Structure formats: C-alpha cells, structure tokens
Amino acid sequence: MKYTELTQQIIHHVGGEKNVISLVHCATRLRFKLRDINKANAEELKKIPGIITVVESGGQFQVVIGNHVAEVFDTIMQTAQFTQHPEDHNEGETSPKTNWLNRFIDIISGIFTPILGIMAGSGVLKGLLALCVAFHLLDMTSGTYRILNATADGFFYFLPIFLAYTAAKKFDANPFLTMAVAAALVYPSIQEKVNAITVATLTQQPLPATETFIFIPISFMSYAYSVIPVIFSSWLIAILQRFFNRIFHSSFRNIVTPMCCLVIVVPLTFMLIGPVTLFLSDLLSQGYQWLYQMNPIIAGIIVGGGWQILVIFGLHWSFIPVMINNLNPHMLGKDLMIPMLVPTVAGQIGAALAVAIKSKDKIQRNIGFSSVFTGIFGITEPAVYGVNLPNRRPFVIGCIAGAIGAAIVGFYGTAVYSMGLASIFTIAQTIPPTGFDMTIWGLILGIIVALIIGFIGTLIFFKPKATESQCQSELSSQKSLTPVPATISKTIQLSSPMQGNVVALTAVNDMTFASELMGKGVAIIPTRGEVVAPADAKIISLFKTKHAIGLLTENNIEILIHIGIDTVKLDGQYFTAHVEPDQQVKRGQKLISFDLEAIKQAGFEVSTPIIITNTDDFIDIIPTDATLVELGDPLLTVTQ
C-alpha cells in the first residue's frame, strides 16, 4: 500500500471515483475510461512525482506510471470503488471523442491489455526453447521439451478462450458464456475433423464427406490460435444476452438466456462468423506480405520510423491483432513486423543514454539512465515521455535511428515465430525452426546500428536546455552594469510592453519571482502574443530560447521581461525575436512575438513577470493601479 497517496491524487485529478467508467493497465500506463474527460486535470497529474506523463488517446485517459504500474493499479482497485451506470454500456456515448478510430483502439486495447504480460512471457519462453534446440541443449522428442513447449504454446493454442474472457469484460457480457463459445471452437472433435481434411488435402486423397447443420453445409476450419472470430462472437453474445434478459422473466432467465445465446451464436460462428472473419484475416495477412515483398527496406523505414509516434498516441494497439494473426500457423506462421520494432526501441535507448550523459539536470540524468534499463526489456515510455520527447530533438533522432535499423532488419527478412514485446528477448524468438541463419544476425546488426546512431546523433545535435535557475543566475550576473547616482530624486515612467491583465508579482506561480528575489515589478497575463520596448533602451540579454529578454534604459534601469513560467522548456518553440543583443530600441518597438494559444495548449502558464532587476539602485518602484493595460499604457513608475 506504499502507493496509497499517489493513487488518491490520481483518482482526485481524473475527476473522482464517480467519473471513472473503467480502468485497465498495460506495461506502463493506467488506462482510464472517463464519463466526462473535462473533469480530468492532466496538467496537475503531470506535476505529481511518480507520474511520467499523461496522454489522451483512443478514447482513453492514460496516466503513464512506468514499471511499477501494476502495483499502482492494484492499490487503486483495493481502495477505490467504481460504480457502473446503465449508460456505460453504450460504448463511447459519454466521451467527447467518440469517432470510430477511438472506439476501435479502445476496444482492442481493452481486450488485449489484460493478457499482454502472459502473452509476452509465453512468447519469450517459446523463443528460449528454440534457442535450446538450436544449441542442442534440448531434444524436441524429449519429455522435458514436450512439457515446456506445452507450457509456452498452450496459451496461444487456446487463445480464443482467453480472448473470450477479456472481450466479455469489454462488451459487458457474461465471460463464462463467451468462453463456452470459444471452447466449442477448439473442441477436440472439431479439431480432429479439421486435421482429417488437412491430411487428405496434403496427400491428395478424397476429402471426408461434407457434414451439415440442419441441411446447411459446414465449412470446418481450425480456430486454434485465432483472434478475430471469437471477438465478433463475444460481441454478438453481449447483444443477445441483453436482449434475452429483457424479454425473459427473472425466474428462469439465468438458464434460458445462456442456452439461447449458445444455440444461436455457436452454429452461427461455425457457418458464418468464423469463415468470413478467417477469410478476412487471410486477406489481411496476404496484403501485409505483399507490401513487405514489394520492398522490405522501405517497409522497415516506414515501420521503424513511425512506430514510436504511434505509441505516443496509443495507435499501436491497432496492429496487435495483425501481428497475432500473422503468427497463426494456419496463416503465415510468423510475423515480420515485430523484429522491425526492436531497432525503434534501441534508437530511443541510445538517444536517452546520450541525453543522460550530456544533461546538466540531475533529475533528467537519473530518469535517462533508469529509462535505458527499462528500455532493454521493451518498455520505452520512460525514455520517450521522460527524456526524449520533452527535448524533441533526441526523439526525432531516435526515430531516424529506428528507421535505419528496421530497414536493415527488413533487408535480411527477419521474422519472429512467437508473440512478445519488442525487446532484447526478441532475438531468441527469431530463431527459425531450421536453426540459426542470417536473419538473426540481421536483427542484431539492426539493433546495434540503431543504438549507435541514436546515441552518437544525440550527442552531436542535442544541446541541454538551460534550467530556470540558470537563466535567473545569468540575468543576476548582469546586474549593476552601471552605477546610478542618487543625487537628484526624479520619477521615470515605463510603459506596458504587453497587452493584458495586470496582476501583482506576488501572485505569480513561481517563488523566485513572487518573493521578489529578482527584484520588484509587476506581472501581466497577456491577451496578445507581442512584446514591445517599455522605454528607449539597449538589449543587454536575449536568451536563445527567446522566452526572456533584458533591457537597460537610458536612465540605467535594468528590465527583465520573462514570458510565461518555465517556458524555457519550450526551447524557443512558439517564440520569434525581432531584435538582437546590443541593439538600441525605441519605446514601443516590437521585441518578441509568440504564439499565445500554442503555449497555453502546451501546458504552460503565460503570466509574464516584468521586473526591475537592479531594484536596490532606486528609491521606489510603483506598479499601475489599472487591471487591464494596452501596449504603451503606463505600467511602472520608478523613483530615482
């Protein structure tokens, strides 16, 4: 229960328990489905220690936690009480983002997320078994191999039953009812019939007699390892279950409803849903194979370069069924996409490692080094959200490195033969049944190249951002450039460099400014993205991030205009400077323009402190009494 305080804060900032429709988790994220997304406060959540970032995608409100997400999830489920409302059964109607893509991704992630861990674990075990066979450590005819192979392959063989359970949870159906349908699909006598047809086809013998269901011919197919048929049948079960529960009396619906659902859905699946969905699955596999064979190098560049972008928006879930479908022995029996994803992980790891080494920020260094470790095991969110994406350039370099590495993997035609996360363990999963070949070395080469390019590219092109304290220290070092004689008392009026609402400096959400350690002044919440000179002056400092500018007036008044709070992190994005250091400017001359709305949408406060940094050189500094100022209006009166 060590995460109790964290979970309480999370629940509070997602709008409380009553705002939560459902909650699941994947390898690093809590995935909330909320009744009202507007009640959630993403910016406050991002500030909480223990939370990497927050993503709104696929109709879900995703809180990225990291490797300990399972413990946080368990704590939430033990302490929170989520209530179901009747309207929650209407998928997506309570969310403002209910387009078909969001709903599709929400459904797919909801079905596959609960089994992703066991799926990855079973896939890795299959890869390790292949490694043992390749090194002659195990004989495929031995009892040890048979038991371990059954342990690893059993999950995939009976995958329809596992998917029936998670699909029922997603569609709000009776999970045991959907599992009964899935069990019928993989029933031994059905599989025996499929095997007999397969053997007859391969040996060119007469096919077994066609069987019928109430005079309707049945096309027997293997549903072991299948994905799509059971999802459609579970969806149909959910619809029929609600229909029959409405029309049958409560005294016998618990018996009659399951019977009616099974009698309708199981035959319908064998005769229509199964054949149609397996045919579509086959077309999907053939289409994917056709695109790959056209040019595997270009396919690698596209997949490797774009995968982490899909991960950011949660769109990668839409490819999970495709990968599993490819691995079905009755389809391709292997997948060519998963190996391409490993270099994308390596590229982000290399970039994060370079940032950690080069960064001067202690917190970012710690996050960088720890994210490298988690990335080795296929978890890239800490590296992407915590290190590379906030700095932008390392993320782009990591994507380029991943594209190059994936192109190499595509060139060698590397494939995996079991499902799992793209990680260091994927190497074992690429061992073909025939033993070691160049496809394995192609993957290793792609990983190494992506890692090196991501690391060296980031070392060369990434420049660590200055922290806010460094900015303030640089400004402070520029104080007292010219001694000011105080022999004659006079007042100087500085005009407003911005248009907006005037607030007291003490109200600014930054203790350095609010405590007036930097000097006295005032703050403006701008309504227009433009800064002009408050007096005739000389530009004495202009930060490369363009978020702050320092001026020295003809009366030796040193002025700091700091646009927004913590906007140094934007690294100059949304800011445009119209002057240069040491340039003389006139009152009202444009200094900086900025995209006000974009800065707000990026999650930054736009309160702009306007400070006299050499306050001690003057008798008094008096702000205006006005609450709203236009460009050029009186703002500060300095008594000299």
Side-chain angles (χ1 to χ4, degrees):
M1 299 297 287
K2 64 180 180 179
Y3 297 109
T4 301
E5 183 178 352
L6 173 61
T7 58
Q8 289 174 346
Q9 291 178 300
I10 291 173
I11 293 299
H12 173 71
H13 289 299
V14 297
E17 296 177 3
K18 294 182 179 179
N19 195 39
V20 178
I21 295 176
S22 63
L23 171 63
V24 294
H25 77 88
C26 56
T28 58
R29 309 181 189 192
L30 296 172
R31 295 173 175 268
F32 289 92
K33 188 169 185 182
L34 304 178
R35 292 189 173 89
D36 187 354
I37 200 79
N38 297 318
K39 291 183 179 180
N41 193 332
E43 295 309 315
E44 289 300 319
L45 280 169
K46 292 176 183 178
K47 297 176 183 178
I48 298 174
I51 294 177
I52 298 174
T53 191
V54 176
V55 180
E56 296 177 37
S57 179
Q60 296 177 334
F61 189 83
Q62 304 171 15
V63 182
V64 184
I65 300 293
N67 295 335
H68 55 283
V69 66
E71 290 90 340
V72 176
F73 173 83
D74 290 340
T75 304
I76 290 178
M77 299 309 290
Q78 292 173 28
T79 57
Q81 294 182 350
F82 303 136
T83 56
Q84 289 291 310
H85 294 179
E87 63 269 19
D88 294 340
H89 302 317
N90 301 322
E91 287 291 330
E93 288 183 8
T94 56
S95 172
K97 300 179 179 179
T98 54
N99 62 63
W100 67 269
L101 180 60
N102 281 345
R103 295 184 63 182
F104 173 73
I105 293 173
D106 177 54
I107 290 171
I108 294 300
S109 63
I111 292 173
F112 285 94
T113 292
I115 62 173
L116 195 58
I118 182 65
M119 183 184 294
S122 298
V124 170
L125 181 55
K126 290 189 72 172
L128 294 176
L129 279 174
L131 191 65
C132 291
V133 171
F135 282 106
H136 304 290
L137 299 176
L138 278 178
D139 189 329
M140 295 181 68
T141 60
S142 68
T144 301
Y145 177 85
R146 291 183 188 277
I147 291 176
L148 290 178
N149 185 60
T151 303
D153 196 49
F155 170 82
F156 295 101
Y157 187 90
F158 294 104
L159 181 61
I161 297 178
F162 292 92
L163 290 176
Y165 180 85
T166 57
K169 291 293 186 181
K170 187 61 185 174
F171 297 133
D172 194 36
N174 183 336
F176 300 105
L177 193 52
T178 59
M179 291 168 70
V181 175
L185 296 179
V186 293
Y187 193 70
S189 64
I190 300 295
Q191 191 62 42
E192 287 173 6
K193 183 68 176 181
V194 173
N195 291 340
I197 295 173
T198 303
V199 170
T201 302
L202 293 176
T203 57
Q204 296 183 344
Q205 296 179 1
L207 293 175
T210 301
E211 298 182 13
T212 61
F213 177 82
I214 314 179
F215 309 111
I216 301 174
I218 302 172
S219 177
F220 285 100
M221 299 180 176
S222 177
Y223 293 97
Y225 303 93
S226 66
V227 174
I228 301 177
V230 74
I231 294 177
F232 274 91
S233 63
S234 298
W235 172 70
L236 182 58
I237 284 283
I239 295 174
L240 292 176
Q241 180 185 331
R242 287 194 286 272
F243 170 74
F244 288 130
N245 280 341
R246 283 197 301 268
I247 65 174
F248 291 142
H249 192 270
S250 59
S251 60
F252 56 86
R253 72 165 61 125
N254 289 340
I255 297 174
V256 178
T257 293
M259 181 188 70
C260 291
C261 289
L262 289 174
V263 168
I264 293 173
V265 174
V266 172
L268 191 61
T269 301
F270 276 109
M271 292 185 293
L272 180 63
I273 296 175
V276 170
T277 54
L278 286 181
F279 174 72
L280 294 175
S281 298
D282 187 47
L283 285 181
L284 194 64
S285 294
Q286 291 180 10
Y288 173 74
Q289 186 78 348
W290 176 76
L291 288 173
Y292 183 89
Q293 289 176 348
M294 280 185 61
N295 196 315
I297 296 176
I298 293 178
I301 292 173
I302 295 172
V303 172
W307 184 255
Q308 293 300 333
I309 299 173
L310 295 177
V311 170
I312 291 173
F313 295 103
L315 301 177
H316 62 299
W317 282 102
S318 59
F319 291 91
I320 300 298
V322 178
M323 297 173 184
I324 299 175
N325 185 67
N326 290 337
L327 289 165
N328 189 331
H330 305 285
M331 297 299 175
L332 293 179
K334 61 182 179 180
D335 182 68
L336 299 160
M337 184 181 293
I338 295 175
M340 294 179 178
L341 307 183
V342 187
T344 74
V345 175
Q348 296 298 327
I349 290 175
L353 179 61
V355 171
I357 292 173
K358 202 170 181 182
S359 177
K360 299 177 182 178
D361 186 282
K362 183 178 179 181
I363 295 177
Q364 191 169 73
R365 287 172 65 89
N366 291 338
I367 295 175
F369 285 123
S370 64
S371 68
V372 170
F373 177 77
T374 59
I376 293 173
F377 299 98
I379 309 299
T380 57
E381 278 90 343
V384 170
Y385 290 116
V387 182
N388 296 342
L389 192 59
N391 291 296
R392 286 188 302 282
R393 192 168 292 180
F395 176 73
V396 174
I397 294 171
C399 289
I400 294 172
I404 296 172
I408 295 173
V409 173
F411 174 78
Y412 282 93
T414 308
V416 295
Y417 300 88
S418 60
M419 186 66 187
L421 296 175
S423 67
I424 192 69
F425 296 114
T426 305
I427 297 174
Q429 295 174 256
T430 60
I431 300 175
T434 54
F436 278 94
D437 58 20
M438 284 303 296
T439 62
I440 301 170
W441 298 112
L443 174 61
I444 295 173
L445 178 61
I447 294 172
I448 294 173
V449 169
L451 185 68
I452 292 174
I453 292 175
F455 179 73
I456 295 178
T458 304
L459 279 182
I460 295 173
F461 296 106
F462 168 67
K463 294 183 180 179
K465 298 176 183 177
T467 62
E468 196 70 26
S469 58
Q470 288 173 320
C471 291
Q472 293 162 359
S473 174
E474 184 177 338
L475 280 170
S476 298
S477 67
Q478 297 169 354
K479 291 184 177 182
S480 305
L481 295 178
T482 307
V484 180
T487 54
I488 301 174
S489 177
K490 63 177 182 179
T491 59
I492 301 115
Q493 196 168 75
L494 301 177
S495 60
S496 177
M498 306 181 81
Q499 173 183 300
N501 299 302
V502 181
V503 295
L505 194 60
T506 53
V508 173
N509 190 23
D510 186 292
M511 284 306 298
T512 304
F513 295 124
S515 62
E516 298 186 339
L517 288 174
M518 291 291 295
K520 293 183 178 181
V522 72
I524 295 177
I525 301 175
T527 55
R528 177 178 173 184
E530 185 176 347
V531 178
V532 302
D536 295 346
K538 177 183 179 181
I539 307 299
I540 58 173
S541 63
L542 176 62
F543 293 99
K544 64 179 181 180
T545 52
K546 304 178 185 65
H547 76 293
I549 188 169
L551 303 95
L552 177 65
T553 73
E554 296 174 347
N555 305 102
N556 296 314
I557 303 172
E558 295 176 14
I559 307 168
L560 165 64
I561 304 173
H562 192 285
I563 307 169
I565 304 300
D566 287 333
T567 46
V568 63
K569 296 177 181 178
L570 289 170
D571 198 25
Q573 187 179 12
Y574 310 130
F575 294 92
T576 302
H578 302 283
V579 293
E580 298 178 354
D582 298 324
Q583 180 179 336
Q584 293 288 339
V585 295
K586 294 292 184 181
R587 185 189 298 263
Q589 182 176 337
K590 185 186 292 188
L591 304 178
I592 297 173
S593 56
F594 55 95
D595 191 331
L596 182 61
E597 292 305 317
I599 294 172
K600 289 180 180 178
Q601 291 176 8
F604 291 88
E605 292 187 31
V606 292
S607 301
T608 300
I610 298 153
I611 297 171
I612 309 303
T613 55
N614 58 339
T615 293
D616 295 339
D617 294 337
F618 303 98
I619 298 173
D620 201 3
I621 297 168
I622 304 172
T624 181
D625 293 331
T627 57
L628 182 66
V629 291
E630 300 288 338
L631 292 175
D633 287 353
L635 184 69
L636 292 171
T637 301
V638 180
T639 304
Q640 193 175 51

